Amino acid sequence: GASMVIIKRTKKYQTEIVPEIGGKIKLRIKWIDDCTYTLKFLKVNKVIKEMWAGQEPPSLIISKIVAVDGLEYTCESRVEEYDDFVDIITIRKQVDK
């Protein structure tokens, strides 16, 4: 099943935390237009490196927002090197109280 990933985003960076395994990834985010952005890997912690078993991270992830529903949006993400692979992800914004 899918793991919950907490995404924290600033104007230039996205941090992804996987609490279930203690994983952490830092990426640079660059918006191409209102619906499309790229993510470039900057740093991954030991847990993620071990999961990848020595493989290098993809050079670039290209994500396109395809649907918005209230506090959720769905995006299709592609890895630059693999045109035939598309990952569909739903992201829910958490509103701090």
Side-chain angles (χ1 to χ4, degrees), residues 3-77:
S3 292
M4 183 183 75
V5 178
I6 297 167
I7 297 173
K8 295 183 179 184
R9 200 180 271 166
T10 64
K11 219 172 189 165
K12 290 185 181 180
Y13 301 104
Q14 176 167 308
T15 303
E16 299 184 4
I17 300 160
V18 189
E20 193 177 300
I21 60 167
K24 190 171 180 181
I25 301 171
K26 184 175 182 180
L27 308 114
R28 181 183 307 278
I29 185 166
K30 184 177 177 191
W31 286 89
I32 295 168
D33 59 39
D34 288 348
C35 296
T36 312
Y37 57 91
T38 61
L39 294 168
K40 182 174 178 55
F41 284 85
L42 297 176
K43 242 184 352 192
V44 298
N45 73 352
K46 189 178 175 183
V47 173
I48 300 295
K49 279 183 186 171
E50 287 171 0
M51 256 179 48
W52 288 349
Q55 293 182 359
E56 288 297 311
S59 59
L60 201 65
I61 296 172
I62 302 143
S63 294
K64 183 171 182 69
I65 298 170
V66 293
V68 178
D69 182 12
L71 294 176
E72 285 187 355
Y73 72 86
T74 302
C75 64
E76 294 179 352
S77 295

